[in-house]
Amino acid sequence: MRAVSARRTEGKENILKRIGFLTWPAIVAVLLWAAPAGAQLSMGVAAGGTYSNLGGSLISNTESDWGVLLGGSAFYRFQANAGLALEGNWVQKGGHGSTDEGSIDVDVDYFELPLTLHLVVELGARWDWNIYGGIGLAFKTRCSVSLDPGEKQSCDDSPLGWTFQSTEWSLPFGSSVTHRFRHSALTADLRYSYGLSALVVSPEFKNRSWQFIVRWGFQI
């Protein structure tokens, strides 16, 4: 039965990966093709920190861990007050808490692809305020877990017997402030990423992550 369940889970993950790889480029291509004359495209780099923990009905006394976020983004401003952002970030998540197995500590790294729709409010000649929300697809790149007071082990080799998923869907939403220069812009961003899919299926744990991001973008 476990083998059948594992095959089903792997099949679902492969479907999610194909959906993600096909959906993101298709959306961006359509928007670029339909761009009005005044549309603006900018690209940039990003760096920041994360403050993450784990949510779920079978985990308690959770504590957050700090991590790092590094990546890049493309921002497509297709109207004066609206834009679309596609990012590619390496981001650290995880956390620790108490379960029936004891105290656990999880560190998990992802390559994350958030796609967000922005409402842009101009605060002056050089300043913008954005509020946004969207959908994120992430692919696990590294995962380690420990059952206190033990040492960290690879999630796949852990004696806990849990299945750690290789993909994650999430809801990113937040707010940012941008200062525009002549051909570039500096942005400070505060985001919350709410995990929709489980990091661990049984018992079910999901990622919850605050992200503090600084971006430097250049108009194309």
Side-chain angles (χ1 to χ4, degrees):
M1 292 298 291
R2 286 188 177 181
V4 173
S5 177
R7 285 195 297 270
R8 288 178 179 172
T9 300
E10 183 178 355
K12 290 179 181 178
E13 289 186 3
N14 289 334
I15 291 173
L16 291 177
K17 289 179 182 179
R18 286 194 289 269
I19 290 173
F21 281 127
L22 294 174
T23 300
W24 268 241
I27 292 174
V28 174
V30 169
L31 287 171
L32 290 174
W33 176 77
Q40 297 178 354
L41 177 64
S42 59
M43 302 186 73
V45 294
T50 63
Y51 191 61
S52 305
N53 64 15
L54 301 172
S57 58
L58 296 178
I59 187 169
S60 60
N61 302 321
T62 58
E63 296 183 25
S64 300
D65 283 341
W66 285 97
V68 174
L69 181 149
L70 297 170
S73 64
F75 184 72
Y76 174 60
R77 190 164 175 173
F78 55 88
Q79 297 291 341
N81 63 345
L84 188 76
L86 177 64
E87 304 170 39
N89 299 322
W90 171 70
V91 56
Q92 295 181 317
K93 298 183 180 181
H96 44 99
S98 300
T99 71
D100 291 341
E101 304 290 340
S103 297
I104 63 163
D105 188 355
V106 180
D107 293 329
V108 56
D109 297 354
Y110 290 99
F111 177 68
E112 191 170 55
L113 296 166
L115 180 67
T116 51
L117 182 65
H118 293 239
L119 173 64
V120 183
V121 179
E122 293 188 358
L123 301 178
R126 296 279 182 186
W127 291 91
D128 292 337
W129 172 53
N130 288 18
I131 55 174
Y132 63 86
I135 189 73
L137 175 62
F139 302 92
K140 185 180 70 179
T141 60
R142 186 187 69 88
C143 183
S144 61
V145 61
S146 67
L147 184 63
D148 291 341
E151 295 184 357
K152 284 253 175 60
Q153 293 181 294
S154 168
C155 293
D156 295 333
D157 299 329
S158 168
L160 292 169
W162 296 345
T163 300
F164 288 81
Q165 303 303 299
S166 62
T167 58
E168 179 191 60
W169 289 94
S170 62
L171 287 178
F173 54 91
S175 179
S176 64
V177 176
T178 298
H179 180 71
R180 288 181 280 107
F181 302 95
R182 187 172 181 182
H183 298 296
S184 62
L186 182 65
T187 299
D189 191 339
L190 173 62
R191 169 183 301 170
Y192 188 71
S193 177
Y194 181 85
L196 293 175
S197 56
L199 170 62
V200 178
V201 175
S202 180
E204 187 179 73
F205 303 149
K206 297 180 179 180
N207 284 304
R208 308 283 189 260
S209 178
W210 286 99
Q211 300 177 0
F212 312 92
I213 311 167
V214 176
R215 295 190 182 84
W216 187 256
F218 300 88
Q219 187 173 332
I220 303 301

